Amino acid sequence: MTNAPSNANWVYASTLWTSSTTTLNPSFTDVTSTVTDVKSPAFNSLPFTSIRVVMGVLPTQNVGLLTTFSSTKSSAYSLFTGSYSAGGYTRASINTYVGTVMGASALLTSMNSLPNCNVIGFNLNAGSPVSAICRWGVALNGENDCQTCDGAFGLGCYTQAPGWSAVNGGTPLIASGGECFGTQYGFRTIVLVR
């Protein structure tokens, strides 16, 4: 899958996440393009043991946040619609990625203003104890709890901040894929499996 920086195709409730038959631009193969969203048929059916999320830069072998699972996942669709699963990295490793690899100092400053919660993984709020919802990401909060999250960083995220409802599929504060009420940082996102 890929998410172009300014598109809202990958919001949390999008059928791109929730349908095991939907595809988008499946014949598009130029991962250097920054203008096209893609969901290939492989997202719905290809088994894998590792997944790499690459944001803000072009994919290379050693770039991105890699999660390796102890058992084979049946598909990216099943991972992103299943129950909560820990991401396998720390807030420090995400901060390093955002600040060093992405070179996104403004985003890192925003993230650092929300130093608490830090639940990281796949399907936040699908069995995880947080009020932010992400298909993949980290829940962020200014208060020392996870029930009133002020932000999130990741894919298909939104927060349950006061004044927002989930009716429209959600909106992220700090995330890729969607629109926002605070500050959104649009970055090219690519998810690779093997």
Side-chain angles (χ1 to χ4, degrees):
M1 74 157 269
T2 64
N3 176 50
S6 60
N7 291 347
N9 287 323
W10 289 94
V11 295
Y12 184 83
S14 170
T15 58
L16 292 174
W17 297 113
T18 63
S19 169
S20 64
T21 58
T22 301
T23 60
L24 179 65
N25 301 314
S27 61
F28 191 84
T29 59
D30 181 7
V31 296
T32 63
S33 170
T34 59
V35 295
T36 303
D37 284 2
V38 175
K39 179 186 176 189
S40 76
F43 184 96
N44 297 323
S45 61
L46 182 70
F48 64 94
T49 56
S50 296
I51 189 165
R52 182 181 307 273
V53 177
V54 181
M55 298 178 86
V57 294
L58 293 176
T60 65
Q61 186 173 357
N62 296 317
V63 173
L65 295 164
L66 176 70
T67 300
T68 300
F69 300 97
S70 58
S71 62
T72 301
K73 299 295 180 184
S74 62
S75 67
Y77 162 78
S78 67
L79 175 65
F80 288 113
T81 58
S83 59
Y84 168 74
S85 176
Y89 10 82
T90 64
R91 172 71 183 266
S93 65
I94 290 175
N95 283 0
T96 298
Y97 182 80
V98 169
T100 304
V101 177
M102 293 174 64
S105 59
L107 171 57
L108 186 58
T109 298
S110 293
M111 290 174 64
N112 286 337
S113 73
L114 303 171
N116 299 308
C117 189
N118 299 312
V119 173
I120 299 168
F122 299 88
N123 287 323
L124 298 186
N125 208 31
S128 66
V130 300
S131 65
I133 295 177
C134 291
R135 295 294 175 177
W136 170 87
V138 55
L140 308 169
N141 202 4
E143 296 76 39
N144 194 19
D145 65 62
C146 289
Q147 288 72 48
T148 60
C149 290
D150 299 317
F153 169 78
L155 307 172
C157 295
Y158 74 91
T159 63
Q160 297 173 3
W164 275 103
S165 81
V167 174
N168 67 351
T171 54
L173 172 60
I174 302 170
S176 179
E179 52 198 71
C180 64
F181 67 90
T183 303
Q184 178 183 1
Y185 300 87
F187 293 103
R188 172 79 167 153
T189 305
I190 300 171
V191 175
L192 306 166
V193 298
R194 64 180 171 127

